[in-house]
Amino acid sequence: MNRDHNEPLIVQEVAPRDGLQIEKQWVETEDKIALIDGLSTCGFTRIEAGSFVSPKAIPALRDGDAVFNGIRRGQGVTYVALVPNVKGAQRAIAASADELNLVMSASQTHNRANMRMSCESSLAGFGDVVQLVRNAPYPVSLNATVATAFGCPFEGRIDEERVVSIARTYREMGIAGITLADTTGMANPRQVARLVARVLELVPAADLTLHFHNTRGLGLANVLAAYDAGARRFDAALGGLGGCPFAPGASGNICTEDLVNMCEEMGIPTGVDLQKLIALSRTLPALVGHEVSGQVAKAGRNCDLHPAPEYVRTI
Ligand code: COA
Ligand code: ZN
């Protein structure tokens, strides 16, 4: 494992998917497309641009097909689609998604709440998706997420052995990318360091993504713990939007501009343009109809200095 502590950190922007899926106010298709097109100019190499799930489960993202067909594809940007089943995979491939992100929870209870099926049924469906992808008309990458990997709002603690074993199963099925998701912000930095170290024995760092929510304020602390343990790829949402509608108490993802700011201040390259990101983040309250939780878009960057008050000169 490379322990170079200035190695780039890859940010996968997930606001168009995790961010918008929980919003009550309908975001017009053209506004979703404009948001993704804006994000495509910020330097991201990966954007989760939508999901292809049941429109009854997530009405806010029911226009995934039109969104994927309407966006301007940035060069070198992988556009990811979250899919729960074969039907979703068919729709995502018809809309030319570059990568499919399959999701199953480590917790049976959360999987039943979110996907309306057992973990075993989810896995059986993933097997069919792997076959479908092999026969796709263009190369499609595969990622699979272990949701509630660090704790479940219904079941509480999740056995680390179970998470490792699901990651191993995904890899054995031929799914290269693995995401460990802290769906409702229950992870702590020491737990993260332990689990990342274990999963990196099975999965190369280039294929591993960590997905944190800031529900209990530990989001960026968890990022640092994971990075120090060797993880290099992280999901984050512009403005700190996000949350799973089928997990009680869910709230936003770690905030992209807060993450990029932290990395910049620490000397960890992300390739993302913070100034552009802040400008885009400031358009979010108008888009979703409420304030967002991100800090840096409100405070500005460290280098955005203020003129000293007049009286200072006289002291
Ligand atoms: N895209 C669009 N429609 C879909 C679909 C998909 N991927 N999967 C199923 N449907 C439709 C079916 O065609 C059927 O439609 P009909 O009622 O018009 O006949 C209906 O949804 C029910 O299908 P069924 O297979 O019985 O699904 P379900 O009701 O058991 O729900 C899921 C299973 C997985 C489709 C649903 O729970 C889901 O989409 N969950 C995702 C939740 C999510 O995105 N959470 C946040 C991200 S982790
Ligand atoms: Zn999430």
Side-chain angles (χ1 to χ4, degrees):
M1 186 196 311
N2 194 327
R3 294 282 191 157
D4 175 0
H5 282 204
N6 290 315
E7 256 195 36
L9 181 153
I10 296 163
V11 187
Q12 170 163 264
E13 174 57 49
V14 299
R17 197 280 298 171
D18 204 330
L20 296 184
Q21 71 182 9
I22 199 171
E23 290 300 332
K24 291 196 177 61
Q25 181 171 303
W26 170 249
V27 176
E28 295 294 341
T29 305
E30 64 196 54
D31 292 335
K32 288 180 179 132
I33 292 171
L35 174 65
I36 297 165
D37 286 349
L39 290 165
S40 294
T41 69
C42 288
F44 295 105
T45 52
R46 304 176 57 82
I47 298 174
E48 196 163 81
S51 66
F52 293 90
V53 303
S54 156
K56 284 184 201 129
I58 307 280
L61 298 183
R62 62 180 183 266
D63 54 351
D65 318 74
V67 170
F68 267 80
N69 283 314
I71 53 176
R72 229 174 294 127
R73 309 278 175 127
Q75 228 189 357
V77 185
T78 297
Y79 294 90
V80 181
L82 182 144
V83 305
N85 56 13
V86 171
K87 178 158 188 184
Q90 287 164 337
R91 288 176 59 208
I93 291 171
S96 307
D98 298 310
E99 182 168 311
L100 310 187
N101 179 20
L102 300 162
V103 180
M104 181 189 83
S105 302
S107 146
Q108 282 282 6
T109 314
H110 184 257
N111 205 61
R112 288 178 198 275
N114 193 33
M115 297 297 174
R116 298 182 172 274
M117 61 181 112
S118 66
C119 294
E120 292 72 22
S121 304
S122 280
L123 281 178
F126 294 178
D128 297 338
V129 172
V130 171
Q131 285 308 321
L132 187 79
V133 161
R134 287 202 178 121
N135 299 319
Y138 65 95
V140 180
S141 337
L142 273 173
N143 187 87
T145 293
V146 189
T148 64
F150 299 91
C152 166
F154 305 111
E155 292 187 12
R157 241 190 116 262
I158 295 292
D159 184 9
E160 288 181 14
E161 206 52 55
R162 176 165 172 78
V163 177
V164 172
S165 135
I166 294 170
R168 187 181 299 113
T169 303
Y170 286 165
R171 295 280 293 186
E172 285 168 1
M173 292 174 80
I175 300 167
I178 306 290
T179 297
L180 302 180
D182 184 23
T183 309
T184 56
M186 293 172 76
N188 71 71
R190 289 188 178 164
Q191 176 193 22
V192 166
R194 225 170 29 238
L195 200 52
V196 166
R198 289 201 58 189
V199 173
L200 281 175
E201 289 168 13
L202 307 171
V203 182
D207 291 334
L208 178 65
T209 303
L210 274 294
H211 177 105
F212 294 122
H213 282 259
N214 199 33
T215 313
R216 291 176 176 78
L218 292 180
L220 292 188
N222 288 331
V223 169
L224 273 188
Y227 181 86
D228 285 344
R232 291 293 177 264
R233 198 198 277 176
F234 295 86
D235 284 350
L238 193 72
L241 293 178
C244 174
F246 302 101
S251 63
N253 289 84
I254 56 166
C255 168
T256 309
E257 59 272 24
D258 293 3
L259 171 63
V260 169
N261 174 69
M262 178 181 82
C263 290
E264 250 176 45
E265 291 300 319
M266 293 180 73
I268 300 172
T270 63
V272 178
D273 183 329
L274 182 54
Q275 222 173 340
K276 274 192 181 173
L277 213 51
I278 289 174
L280 200 54
S281 179
R282 287 177 178 160
T283 68
L284 287 179
L287 191 70
V288 296
H290 59 81
E291 278 303 308
V292 299
S293 64
Q295 308 276 305
V296 170
K298 294 177 192 123
R301 300 168 302 169
N302 287 15
C303 61
D304 296 330
L305 302 181
H306 303 269
E310 200 52 42
Y311 67 84
V312 168
R313 290 170 203 246
T314 64
I315 295 173

